[in-house]
Amino acid sequence: MPNDVKTGSLAPDKKLKWVGTRPLRPDGVDKVTGRAKFGADFSLPGMLIGKVLRSPHPHARIKSIDTSKAEVLPGVKAVVTRDDFHDMESEFVPAGEMLVNYRDMVRNVMAREKVLYDGHAVAAVAATSNAVAKRALKLIEVDYEPLPHVIDVLEAMEPDAPLLHEDMITAGVEPAPDKPSNVAKVVEFAIGDVEAGFAQAEVIVERTFQTKPVHQAYIEPHACVASVSEDGQAELWCTTQGHYVVRGHCARLLGMDVSKIRVTASEIGGGFGGKTVVYLEPLALALSAKACRPVKMVMSRDEVFRASGPTSGAHMRIKVGATKDGRITAAEADLKYQAGAFQGSPVQPGAMCAFAPYDLENVKVVGYDVVTNRPKVAAYRAPGAPISEYAVECVIDELARKLGLDPIDFRLANAAKEGTRAAYGPKFGPIGLVETLQEAKAHPHYTAPLGPDQGRGVASGFWFNIGGETCAALNINEDGTAALMIGTPDIGGSRASLCMMAAEELGIDLDRIRPIIADTSSLGYTFLTGGSRVTFASGMATIDAAQDAVRQLCERAAKIWEIPSDAVEWEDGYAKPAGANAGDFEPMSLAEVAKVAGKTGGPIVGHAQINAQGAGPSFGTHIVDVEVDRETGRVTVVRYTVVQDAGKAVHPAYVEGQYQGGAVQGIGWALNEEYIYGEDGRLENPGFLDYRIPVASDVPMIDTVIVEVPNPRHPYGVRGVGETPIVPPMAAITNALADALGIRFTELPMSPPKVLEAIGEAAAGG
Amino acid sequence: MAKVHVATTINGDAVEFLCEADETLLDVLRDELHLTGSKEGCGSGDCGACSVMLDGRLVCACLVLGAELGGRAVETIENMADGEVLHPLQRKFLEHAALQCGVCTPGILVAAKALLDKNPEPSETEVRYWLAGNLCRCTGYDKIVRAVLDAAGEMRGELTHAE
Ligand code: FES
Ligand code: FES
């Protein structure tokens, strides 16, 4: 078996029937037959097609927009521009793993004073057909005054760089600068005294690194259908990681009551953080309100690349010092992250995560959030962490090799464990980094022989994981089946894991529980699918709702038996008298209690509304073997093993899937993917042909080891698993290349031309 | 511009439709015939989410014009199961958890079936190269490749087991 589960010592003593097994997912048949409805699969009678006019300029002032010709084109029913959206106050509000600012958001969904990137929305139309909508876009006249642009993060920080926002004063520096710049914010974390720490070091490695923006590249483009009635009631169907969050943003941007917008999440064809924000949704609502007809909008792939996502590219300097016996004495990082056109890069989490896998006394991390003429970044799987940890894990590897230490042993000697105070503040509870390192070291992969031109690398990774506001409801049906209502869109099998936890609590068979993702008017506010929180937080809410239902089931049985309800207990799907004193009654099954619910007090519904706390941080360690083709510079990943702590794997097959998918996204980030801009500031590769994500023939099987160090704050020990797997691959592959070639790469992606050039230089120099 | 009238066969049924000259087979399937199982991931032949069979050949529906369909036969994901019995590939995809979000799944199933129709005993490498035109961003392909190999084995009558 290539895939392995190592149960931790704290495993719950409860005998589990469902949790930890691999049943079929409840939504599976719909998804293998084409029946499942994704964002673009909805239609309504009388529906119009909406399309967006986008800026061809990376930076320009909008002098005027004339839509009159488009408006009179037969078939055009509505046109919207900046004039249809109110300006908003600058205000940061938390939105999951990132902060949002409505002043920026209203400008990102529709340009106001200026366009700030190639692809920035300038106007939108709704028409009776796709063809008419396209013709209408051509009739809109925008008078632009092109301005100088800046794409590179270091150039954007130059004093004479073109300014994106003439009023942006850097936050987080004392005293506040008196001149505006493209640096939105500076963040800093420090513990101990790095100067003193470096003075104790016997070996120091210091390097600078660069990464390029990469896109989440979900296969399903953004899509929605909005229908606003004459009295202002709105329905919205869309592909999103969080329909309650979409509702909130749309209500704010359009000045609508939250109660007037009902959002239904379609099936979602991938998001990876990129579907936590709004792009088309407010435009579709505005167009529909004007036209009084439903409006459907779907992005093309070109629009997805030019106007949504990606994550930051960065420029970083990392310095780490250690004693000869392998103890790290100090660590320092400068991180400069591109935010795209509006502030809000994930540099803060990047700075917090940079050294999180290590138990350090002296650390200093400074992060810069820098705006450039690119699309505003969106969250991407462990936002910020893969960038900073890539750089740090490369330096850790180099340091280990300089010290003559095995890179896993070096990490073990410095690894964060329970009680370690992380550089960003809190003390870790039980965490599984050491276990993942030990498992990696013991894995046959780690000692397998390598072929010619091959090299092996390892790297570790960390992500916080989050909890948050979550509701769940569990309707017990009259025939003893149940309907589970949850508010987190299912992006990768969470219906299965949540139903499994409900089945475990209720003591009934899994196939008696049907899940639905409830719309925003049917279930209370639930934060989005992100932060690896669904199995943890929606899991906790599901368990609470099931326990609430069980309490009611026991009360009903008590009523029937005419005994106090605390004299009834629930076991394996049956109400039973608790002990001999309670009386002698035949146990009643859930179905039997449910059948007579009408006579004992009415329907039985379990509810939970929680703010889930205590998400368990997650660590992983990856091993990779690469092979280099010295003639072409192509790097092939020939073997890959992911070892990660899941806390508890509710459905191990989907946990493995997260590990494997994250690793392969990381392989793409390491070797191929990048946003390429021309001199003119336009994106040159807005399609899958030139923005090349890994395909099946690029990668090997991805072996996995699931380590289970239970999270004590979750009833089954669950930690999030979805994000950490994308953190280690870039460094692991860089380290493997160093092993194969003796060359330390410090730039991503390590695409064939760059590798070939480095091999040539090394040959010339050596 | 007048629409084109086309008479064709889709999933074994005689079908007539009107389409614009520049509408693709994918547009026709999704927008005119409401067969939304085939997905549009790119519209440029690069993702395979729109894979369908046209006269027994695997094609990207986004690269074929609707107006070209007269007298031809199209098979889509909607016709892969035999009544209520799933095709072995569909079943193996579920057993192996070979889908996460599932948006790539219809295209990959159609493409994998085309492979097994041609080559009932593909190697792992053959599966990987055959499916190289079908992007999946979620799974890392591991479980997809295993599911295809397992389905092939079962269809050959070999005893296999899902992990
Ligand atoms: S939509 Fe046809 S190949 Fe991508
Ligand atoms: S399962 Fe999401 S793209 Fe393949």
Side-chain angles (χ1 to χ4, degrees):
Chain A
M1 283 280 284
N3 299 316
D4 226 353
V5 182
K6 309 273 176 191
T7 304
S9 55
L10 288 169
D13 42 13
K14 212 173 354 177
K15 252 206 98 33
L16 298 174
K17 183 159 178 225
W18 296 105
V19 170
T21 66
R22 298 169 180 245
L24 301 188
R25 61 197 277 174
D27 54 328
V29 171
D30 283 1
K31 287 189 174 145
V32 296
T33 55
R35 193 175 273 108
K37 289 241 177 293
F38 290 84
D41 300 342
F42 280 96
S43 293
L44 286 174
M47 190 175 78
L48 304 171
I49 300 298
K51 291 225 163 286
V52 179
L53 181 69
R54 296 186 181 278
S55 165
H57 301 289
H59 194 189
R61 197 166 304 286
I62 302 176
K63 295 188 359 205
S64 65
I65 305 175
D66 181 357
T67 59
S68 54
K69 289 194 186 120
E71 274 164 59
V72 296
L73 182 72
V76 171
K77 301 293 174 184
V79 180
V80 294
T81 63
R82 56 190 178 179
D83 297 336
D84 295 275
F85 295 87
H86 293 289
D87 203 356
M88 311 277 295
E89 290 285 301
S90 179
E91 173 200 2
F92 283 94
V93 289
E97 298 170 301
M98 316 265 283
L99 289 171
V100 299
N101 184 318
Y102 285 113
R103 183 175 186 272
D104 291 342
M105 195 188 287
V106 77
R107 281 168 175 72
N108 196 33
V109 300
M110 192 59 91
R112 283 186 101 78
E113 302 84 3
K114 299 202 288 185
V115 289
L116 293 166
Y117 52 94
D118 164 34
H120 201 159
V122 185
V125 301
T128 47
S129 75
N130 210 8
V132 176
K134 277 196 214 157
R135 241 172 287 146
L137 292 186
K138 294 216 177 88
L139 295 175
I140 297 174
E141 288 165 12
V142 185
D143 187 5
Y144 293 108
E145 176 197 335
L147 299 168
H149 64 271
V150 60
I151 297 290
D152 179 74
V153 65
L154 293 183
E155 285 170 21
M157 294 176 79
E158 293 290 328
D160 56 349
L163 286 181
L164 275 79
H165 306 280
E166 289 82 3
D167 57 352
M168 195 159 79
I169 300 291
T170 308
V173 280
E174 290 292 339
D178 50 8
K179 279 221 255 2
S181 74
N182 291 321
V183 181
K185 179 173 77 172
V186 178
V187 295
E188 192 176 321
F189 296 94
I191 51 170
D193 179 346
V194 281
E195 303 277 306
F198 282 119
Q200 287 164 30
E202 290 164 297
V203 183
I204 291 176
V205 173
E206 180 174 11
R207 281 191 182 271
T208 56
F209 295 87
Q210 264 189 71
T211 72
K212 292 283 169 54
V214 291
H215 199 276
Q216 298 81 348
Y218 29 81
I219 304 302
E220 178 205 31
H222 298 266
C224 65
V225 178
S227 179
V228 185
S229 66
E230 289 71 2
D231 64 350
Q233 308 284 335
E235 294 230 40
L236 180 67
W237 294 262
C238 62
T239 174
T240 175
Q241 290 174 242
H243 40 316
Y244 296 83
V245 170
V246 167
R247 179 184 67 173
H249 290 340
C250 289
R252 281 298 292 271
L253 295 180
L254 297 163
M256 293 172 76
D257 289 348
V258 166
S259 66
K260 287 203 174 141
I261 310 181
R262 175 179 175 194
V263 188
T264 305
S266 69
E267 295 305 325
I268 172 170
F272 313 106
K275 290 180 183 160
T276 56
V277 281
V278 293
Y279 299 106
L280 299 177
E281 297 82 357
L283 309 185
L285 285 166
L287 287 167
S288 176
K290 263 196 169 173
C292 285
R293 291 193 33 193
V295 175
K296 178 171 183 167
M297 300 184 84
V298 181
M299 277 196 199
S300 66
R301 179 56 53 183
D302 172 276
E303 291 178 286
V304 171
F305 276 115
R306 287 166 66 210
S308 77
T311 191
S312 305
H315 192 278
M316 299 173 280
R317 182 186 64 86
I318 309 290
K319 182 177 174 188
V320 183
T323 55
K324 283 200 179 122
D325 59 356
R327 181 72 205 151
I328 298 175
T329 58
E332 194 176 73
D334 289 334
L335 312 171
K336 293 163 183 150
Y337 279 32
Q338 296 160 359
F342 299 96
Q343 62 179 303
S345 78
V347 72
Q348 172 123 1
M352 290 161 82
C353 290
F355 295 108
Y358 301 103
D359 181 0
L360 304 176
E361 276 165 27
N362 306 300
V363 190
K364 186 170 169 196
V365 185
V366 184
Y368 302 83
D369 184 24
V370 185
V371 295
T372 54
N373 292 111
R374 299 166 174 266
K376 158 86 170 83
V377 300
Y380 181 20
R381 215 166 185 166
I387 301 168
S388 61
E389 293 188 58
Y390 146 69
V392 168
E393 287 295 291
C394 289
V395 167
I396 293 286
D397 189 76
E398 188 174 354
L399 200 49
R401 282 174 201 259
K402 281 209 162 139
L403 292 164
L405 294 172
D406 173 275
I408 293 186
D409 287 340
F410 182 51
R411 285 180 174 82
L412 276 168
N414 294 283
K417 35 185 120 27
E418 184 167 5
T420 298
R421 182 169 295 286
Y424 63 91
K427 261 196 184 158
F428 287 121
I431 52 172
L433 174 60
V434 167
E435 287 79 354
T436 69
L437 287 164
Q438 286 165 342
E439 287 295 340
K441 195 163 181 208
H443 197 283
H445 181 175
Y446 196 57
T447 45
L450 287 165
D453 293 325
Q454 294 188 348
R456 177 166 299 143
V458 294
S460 295
F462 160 81
W463 183 248
F464 314 91
N465 299 329
I466 61 169
E469 291 168 88
T470 312
C471 289
L474 190 61
N475 296 332
I476 305 294
N477 300 324
E478 59 272 31
D479 62 353
T481 59
L484 175 64
M485 294 167 69
I486 42 202
T488 41
D490 179 354
I491 207 163
S494 59
R495 283 184 184 89
S497 61
L498 298 174
C499 284
M500 289 162 75
M501 288 187 262
E504 201 74 65
E505 295 293 328
L506 292 177
I508 62 175
D509 273 356
L510 184 64
D511 68 3
R512 296 179 75 78
I513 306 175
R514 289 301 298 176
I516 65 154
I517 311 301
D519 66 68
T520 54
S521 298
S522 308
L523 187 70
Y525 182 85
T526 298
F527 188 58
L528 50 76
T529 294
S532 303
R533 71 177 217 97
V534 171
T535 311
F536 171 73
S538 273
M540 256 163 131
T542 297
I543 293 164
D544 280 7
Q547 289 174 350
D548 185 30
V550 162
R551 222 162 11 247
Q552 297 170 46
L553 288 158
C554 288
E555 277 164 22
R556 305 304 176 86
K559 228 178 197 172
I560 294 166
W561 293 331
E562 297 179 336
I563 61 175
S565 56
D566 57 5
V568 179
E569 65 181 17
W570 192 258
E571 201 184 305
D572 290 337
Y574 283 83
K576 289 181 181 162
N581 291 347
D584 186 16
F585 303 100
E586 247 333 89
M588 286 183 83
S589 70
L590 183 143
E592 287 165 335
V593 181
K595 194 172 167 194
V596 296
K599 297 196 190 98
T600 58
I604 299 171
V605 183
H607 286 282
Q609 37 276 321
I610 62 171
N611 189 353
Q613 302 292 322
S618 129
F619 289 89
T621 300
H622 292 197
I623 315 170
V624 60
D625 296 353
V626 299
E627 184 172 311
V628 187
D629 180 337
R630 287 177 179 270
E631 270 168 37
T632 61
R634 183 186 158 99
V635 177
T636 308
V637 172
V638 293
R639 186 166 181 186
Y640 204 107
T641 303
V642 178
V643 187
Q644 189 182 313
D645 176 18
K648 175 75 193 169
V650 175
H651 194 309
Y654 287 101
V655 172
E656 290 158 10
Q658 290 296 322
Y659 292 6
Q660 293 163 337
V664 170
Q665 267 184 331
I667 291 171
W669 197 335
L671 297 179
N672 270 311
E673 296 178 31
E674 63 180 310
Y675 265 48
I676 300 170
Y677 280 87
E679 286 293 312
D680 58 2
R682 293 196 194 171
L683 183 60
E684 291 188 332
N685 58 338
F688 280 135
L689 189 61
D690 299 316
Y691 184 98
R692 197 172 175 288
I693 71 172
V695 303
S697 55
D698 289 336
V699 290
M701 292 297 186
I702 309 291
D703 292 348
T704 60
V705 179
I706 300 174
V707 170
E708 294 187 326
V709 176
N711 171 11
R713 305 284 299 276
H714 184 278
Y716 295 106
V718 167
R719 294 173 197 276
V721 297
E723 291 170 291
T724 301
I726 203 176
V727 180
M730 288 69 81
I733 292 169
T734 308
N735 297 339
L737 266 172
D739 188 42
L741 297 173
I743 301 171
R744 288 254 154 217
F745 288 86
T746 55
E747 261 180 50
L748 299 182
M750 297 173 286
S751 51
K754 281 196 216 152
V755 173
L756 199 57
E757 195 187 317
I759 292 173
E761 277 170 16
Chain B
M1 221 187 333
K3 289 194 175 189
V4 189
H5 174 263
V6 180
T8 187
T9 306
I10 300 206
N11 295 332
D13 295 331
V15 170
E16 291 178 51
F17 59 85
L18 294 174
C19 72
E20 312 253 1
D22 64 350
E23 265 184 291
T24 66
L25 166 55
L26 185 60
D27 296 334
V28 168
L29 289 173
R30 293 180 50 83
D31 302 336
E32 307 292 334
L33 306 174
H34 307 294
L35 292 169
T36 56
S38 308
K39 305 300 177 193
E40 179 164 331
C42 68
S44 56
D46 299 312
C47 78
C50 63
S51 300
V52 298
M53 300 302 284
L54 178 62
D55 291 341
R57 263 186 59 221
L58 178 65
V59 297
C60 292
C62 69
L63 296 183
V64 175
L65 287 175
E68 296 178 82
L69 287 189
R72 307 179 74 176
V74 179
E75 293 279 332
T76 70
I77 184 67
E78 281 89 351
N79 202 38
M80 191 178 235
D82 181 8
E84 59 185 24
V85 182
L86 293 181
H87 186 277
L89 276 163
Q90 293 173 307
R91 198 158 30 74
K92 289 297 174 191
F93 266 57
L94 295 178
E95 286 172 16
H96 284 267
L99 50 140
Q100 284 175 30
C101 77
V103 80
C104 66
T105 311
I108 292 187
L109 284 168
V110 169
K113 180 165 178 290
L115 168 65
L116 299 190
D117 287 347
K118 250 190 166 65
N119 175 2
E121 198 166 357
S123 65
E124 180 193 330
T125 306
E126 284 169 328
V127 172
R128 287 189 180 277
Y129 277 88
W130 183 271
L131 293 180
N134 290 85
L135 301 180
C136 173
R137 190 58 157 171
C138 300
T139 64
Y141 304 104
D142 181 298
K143 292 181 190 303
I144 290 174
V145 174
R146 286 178 203 277
V148 174
L149 291 171
D150 193 12
E154 186 186 284
M155 289 165 71
R156 292 194 305 270
E158 290 166 15
L159 267 188
T160 53
H161 70 283
E163 296 174 40

